[in-house]
Amino acid sequence: MTIHLALHALHTLPPSNVNRDELGSPKTALYGGVPRARVSSQSWKRAMRTRFSTADLIPAQDLSARTRQGIGQLATAIAERCPGLDGGQAAELAETVLTFATGASADTASARRKTTVANAPVTREILFLGLRQIDRLAELAAEGADDIAAFLKKKANATAVKDAAASRDAVDLALFGRMIATGDDLTLDASVQVAHALAVHRTPTEVDFFTAVDDLAAADDNSAGMVGQREFLSPTLYRHAVLTGPDLAANLSDYAGAMDVRQVTTAFIRVFAEAVPSGHITSYAHTTRPDVLIATVTGNPLNHVGAFETPIETEAGGHLTAAAARLAEHIMLTDTAYGDPTARSWLLTLNPHATAPLHSTATRVDSLAALADQAAAELSQRTRENTLREQV
C-alpha cells in the first residue's frame, strides 16, 4: 500500500472573482443539481506555486518557471558565462540549444517578442523548466559556443544536453509535474492531485455596477467618466488535495538542493492553506485563510465533496458552521465504511463546536505550523518505511 497526505479545507471568500471564464464571469459548476461557485485546480495550483516564492518557503534556485520565454531566459544565463557574445548571438545560441533539448520551436519572426535578451524569440509551446536546468543548459551551451552544431553532433554532448533538460531538479516540478508535448522524456507525472474548489451551497452570481468619476471634470459636470459592470460571488468552498509520498520521493531523485521529503511536504501544506488566487484582488481584497483544515496521512485518500452533494441551506444565514458539521459527519461515516485503520489525522479549526465529531479521531492543533510539521513528519516516516518494504 502506498502512502498519501490528504488535505481538506473549508474556505470562505468574500465578494470576489478569483477565477473567471472567457467572458470574465466567475467560474461555476452544476453539482447536486444546483449551480455552485468553482475555482479551477489550475488557478489554485498557480497560486500555490507563487506562494512558495512570496513566503520564502522554498529557495528561488529550487523552483521553476512556466513560460514561453525560455529562450530569453537561457540566453541571459549564456550571456553571463560568455561575455564576448552580444545579445543576438546569445539568443541564437540559446534557441539552438533549447530547441535541441526540448523539441520546442521558436515562434515565427513576425510574432517574436523581446525578452530579457534582445531579439530572443518566444517558443510556440509553454515550457516548465527549473532554474538549475537552465543553468546546466547554459553551461553546456557555453562549452560548445564556438561551434554549437558540431558540439551537439557528439553523442556525449547531445546526451548531456538532453539529460539536463529532462532532469527533475526543482521542488515545484516534483510536486506539480510537467507535460511537454514535444518531448515525452521531459514529461513527469505530478505527485500532487488538486481538486477544483467547489462551493458547499447554491451560489448566485451577482453584478457590481460601477462608475469612474473624472477628477478634473467641470464643477457642474455630473456625468461619469466611464461606467461598467463586473460579476462576483461570495462562496464558502470545500477544497481538497492529495500528495503521494513515494511519488514525491521519486520525483526528487534528481534534486540537488537541501530540502527533503519532510520539508517539501511542510511547504506544500503551508501553501495549500495560505495561497489564494489573485484574480481582481485589488478590487476585492479577498485574501482569507481556511476556517477548517484537516490533514490525514493514509493509504486511502478520499475526496469528501460528497458531504455537500445536497447543498447547505440555513434559515439563519451563514454556511460555515453547518458545512463544518456536515464535513465532520461525512468523514466519520466514510471512514467507518471505507477508511484506513492506520490513518492519522490532524485538525486545525476555528469552529471547534461544529467539528466536535472529529475531535476523537483527529489530533487538534493550534496553528498551521504545528499541523504542517506533524503531518509532514508522519508522511516522511511512512514513505521511508514504504520504500524499505519495497526494497526487501
Side-chain angles (χ1 to χ4, degrees):
M1 176 186 291
T2 192
I3 194 69
H4 312 269
L5 168 72
L7 297 172
H8 313 273
L10 292 176
H11 196 152
T12 296
L13 295 178
S16 55
N17 184 356
V18 301
N19 185 209
R20 52 194 183 273
D21 63 18
E22 70 277 10
L23 300 177
S25 301
K27 288 187 177 180
T28 60
L30 197 67
Y31 184 65
V34 300
R36 318 284 187 101
R38 175 176 64 91
V39 181
S40 71
S41 57
Q42 181 180 1
S43 176
W44 225 300
K45 281 190 283 189
R46 172 166 169 73
M48 287 190 277
R49 288 197 302 110
T50 302
R51 183 69 183 172
F52 283 137
S53 297
T54 58
D56 291 326
L57 295 173
I58 294 176
Q61 67 269 24
D62 292 353
L63 294 172
S64 308
R66 178 175 281 123
T67 181
R68 292 179 63 202
Q69 302 194 39
I71 295 173
Q73 191 183 17
L74 179 56
T76 299
I78 291 172
E80 292 172 354
R81 292 163 173 79
C82 301
L85 298 180
D86 62 29
Q89 292 171 322
E92 184 177 350
L93 180 57
E95 180 178 341
T96 300
V97 171
L98 196 67
T99 298
F100 180 85
T102 66
S105 55
D107 214 332
T108 57
S110 61
R112 292 187 177 193
R113 305 174 186 172
K114 299 297 187 293
T115 57
T116 50
V117 175
N119 299 318
V122 297
T123 54
R124 287 190 174 91
E125 304 83 358
I126 194 165
L127 300 175
F128 192 29
L129 296 175
L131 299 188
R132 282 202 184 89
Q133 292 172 283
I134 292 293
D135 285 341
R136 289 196 188 115
L137 288 171
E139 290 168 3
L140 291 165
E143 185 180 338
D146 291 339
D147 188 346
I148 193 62
F151 179 82
L152 293 174
K153 284 182 180 178
K154 293 183 178 179
K155 184 176 181 180
N157 296 335
T159 300
V161 170
K162 293 280 190 179
D163 289 347
S167 73
R168 306 168 178 183
D169 195 5
V171 170
D172 49 354
L173 182 58
L175 287 167
F176 298 110
R178 174 175 64 192
M179 195 286 287
I180 298 180
T182 54
D184 289 342
D185 55 332
L186 303 178
T187 296
L188 177 67
D189 289 337
S191 58
V192 165
Q193 308 166 32
V194 180
H196 288 232
L198 195 67
V200 303
H201 53 88
R202 182 188 301 268
T203 320
T205 300
E206 301 179 72
V207 177
D208 176 27
F209 174 80
F210 62 88
T211 64
V213 177
D214 187 337
D215 291 343
L216 300 182
D220 59 350
D221 183 356
N222 296 319
S223 62
M226 66 163 288
V227 297
Q229 64 181 35
R230 180 182 293 133
E231 292 179 276
F232 68 93
L233 31 69
S234 310
T236 296
L237 300 166
Y238 168 73
R239 297 176 50 213
H240 171 61
V242 176
L243 171 60
T244 301
D247 289 351
L248 175 61
N251 285 359
L252 289 172
S253 60
D254 294 337
Y255 173 57
M259 299 183 73
D260 57 20
V261 168
R262 176 174 177 174
Q263 292 169 313
V264 173
T265 302
T266 299
F268 176 72
I269 296 171
R270 288 281 304 274
V271 297
F272 177 84
E274 295 174 352
V276 179
S278 60
H280 287 308
I281 196 165
T282 57
S283 297
Y284 295 110
H286 55 255
T287 301
T288 56
R289 296 285 186 264
D291 290 86
V292 176
L293 178 62
I294 302 166
T296 301
V297 175
T298 177
N300 188 24
L302 299 175
N303 185 324
H304 290 295
V305 70
F308 312 109
E309 197 271 342
T310 299
I312 298 291
E313 296 180 2
T314 59
E315 295 181 0
H319 300 102
L320 183 61
T321 298
R326 181 90 66 83
L327 177 61
E329 180 184 18
H330 188 271
I331 290 174
M332 295 291 292
L333 292 173
T334 304
D335 284 351
T336 299
Y338 302 105
D340 170 16
T342 69
R344 288 195 62 194
S345 294
W346 293 264
L347 169 67
L348 177 62
T349 179
L350 305 183
N351 197 331
H353 175 72
T355 56
L358 291 176
H359 297 176
S360 61
T361 59
T363 301
R364 283 190 61 192
V365 294
D366 296 326
S367 68
L368 174 60
L371 181 144
D373 183 64
Q374 294 178 41
E378 181 73 11
L379 181 71
S380 178
Q381 177 184 336
R382 292 178 64 174
T383 296
R384 285 196 301 270
E385 293 171 353
N386 185 82
T387 301
L388 290 173
R389 281 195 301 270
E390 291 182 347
Q391 292 174 347
V392 173

